[in-house]
Amino acid sequence: MISAIEISKTYHNSRTAALKNTNIVIDEGSINVIMGKSGSGKSTLLNILSGLIEPSTGTVYMMNKDYYRLSEKEKAQFRGKYFGYVFQSFQLIYELTVYDNIIMPLHITNQKVNEQAVYQLLKDLEIYHYMRSFPSELSGGQQQRVAIARAMIHNPKVIFADEPTGNLDSENSLRVIELLTRLCKKNQTTLLVVTHDKQLIKNPDHLFILKDGKLV
Ligand code: ADP
Ligand code: ADP
């Protein structure tokens, strides 16, 4: 699905590389965890693999395309079609209901809403009864499940999640991750999760550990 060859990243205002000559392959439909201490390069690696920041050196093939050779417009279209993103802060729109938050990406891109697909996602994430509620009426764990539904509404090939449980207590964290991984397996969606929590995902297909910008 994604393969990165000898990628490295040095930020403009930095003397040391945040990521050093890294090779990584992400298999289609696999559950992947990236771990490491704060500052080890997890977000940098995820952001490169998810098409958000260009590496300083190296090549990233996404579904056989040399992604960073595409134009800005082509990259944006590619991400919109194939990728879904989940963040530590849920980034919901608090003026909209749960339902309207979830269908937002379809609205923006002028796509038809398949009501049944929305209901199925709501059920899979156990938030069906909250579809007419507003995010502020939900717990953090429930809000993150809404954000996951929104990230999956267009049937992406890959979900990228950077510390998706960073704002949740341990009970809600496990629930969110359990539902997220179950849904990805069911839909054969590839999943990449960055976390520093060893306990979070019990049996990923691949566990990548970063130390000082290098995969160990
Ligand atoms: P985390 O450890 O949770 O991944 P960080 O605190 O490292 O998050 O980074 C938060 C944000 O600040 C990120 O968007 C990152 O790119 C940016 N950032 C981190 N370190 C620096 C830095 N030294 N200079 C500028 N921006 C930074
Ligand atoms: P992690 O996600 O593991 O906390 P990051 O990828 O956020 O690690 O950061 C790796 C290193 O790069 C850190 O030293 C961080 O301070 C630095 N860094 C991250 N983002 C930026 C940025 N935008 N500008 C400068 N330095 C950054």
Side-chain angles (χ1 to χ4, degrees), residues 11 13 38-39 42-43 47 88 162-163:
Y11 290 100
N13 52 355
S38 186
K42 302 184 295 297
S43 296
N47 289 338
Q88 178 170 347
D162 197 347
E163 298 277 5

Side-chain angles (χ1 to χ4, degrees), residues 28-59:
E28 185 166 359
S30 61
I31 306 290
N32 303 273
V33 176
I34 299 172
M35 288 194 43
K37 288 188 187 141
S38 186
S40 60
K42 302 184 295 297
S43 296
T44 301
L45 177 59
L46 191 80
N47 289 338
I48 292 171
L49 296 177
S50 63
L52 297 176
I53 62 169
E54 187 166 357
S56 310
T57 65
T59 310

Side-chain angles (χ1 to χ4, degrees), residues 8-182:
S8 63
K9 174 71 186 176
T10 304
Y11 290 100
H12 291 301
N13 52 355
S14 177
R15 281 182 301 123
T16 53
L19 195 67
K20 299 163 189 163
N21 302 90
T22 297
N23 294 286
I24 189 167
V25 174
I26 306 297
D27 298 326
E28 185 166 359
S30 61
I31 306 290
N32 303 273
V33 176
I34 299 172
M35 288 194 43
K37 288 188 187 141
S38 186
S40 60
K42 302 184 295 297
S43 296
T44 301
L45 177 59
L46 191 80
N47 289 338
I48 292 171
L49 296 177
S50 63
L52 297 176
I53 62 169
E54 187 166 357
S56 310
T57 65
T59 310
V60 182
Y61 293 103
M62 314 246 200
M63 299 158 74
N64 300 320
K65 269 204 164 62
D66 188 346
Y67 175 85
Y68 287 102
R69 291 280 181 91
L70 301 176
S71 69
E72 289 303 322
K73 190 179 168 192
E74 288 169 325
K75 283 192 286 187
Q77 282 172 345
F78 191 96
R79 292 194 302 270
K81 187 166 176 195
Y82 297 117
F83 294 168
Y85 299 88
V86 177
F87 306 96
Q88 178 170 347
S89 57
F90 321 124
Q91 308 212 359
L92 298 174
I93 299 171
Y94 285 85
E95 291 75 20
L96 297 180
T97 63
V98 163
Y99 183 93
D100 286 333
N101 264 282
I102 293 171
I103 64 168
M104 193 60 164
L106 301 179
H107 264 301
I108 294 172
T109 51
N110 280 319
Q111 292 179 71
K112 220 173 100 232
V113 176
N114 175 345
E115 297 263 321
Q116 290 311 317
V118 182
Y119 296 153
Q120 188 59 53
L121 262 180
L122 285 161
K123 283 178 192 162
D124 285 341
L125 290 159
E126 299 179 0
I127 45 175
Y128 187 80
H129 296 292
Y130 299 102
M131 77 170 104
R132 300 290 162 212
S133 302
F134 288 89
S136 58
E137 298 171 297
L138 308 185
S139 72
Q142 290 164 337
Q143 289 186 41
Q144 191 59 301
R145 276 139 60 186
V146 175
I148 290 167
R150 180 186 54 188
M152 295 191 81
I153 191 63
H154 62 303
N155 276 317
K157 293 259 181 219
V158 191
I159 290 284
F160 299 95
D162 197 347
E163 298 277 5
T165 60
N167 284 338
L168 306 176
D169 60 35
S170 55
E171 196 178 312
N172 271 304
S173 296
L174 288 176
R175 192 92 199 96
V176 162
I177 286 298
E178 191 191 314
L179 290 167
L180 174 62
T181 50
R182 194 198 292 167

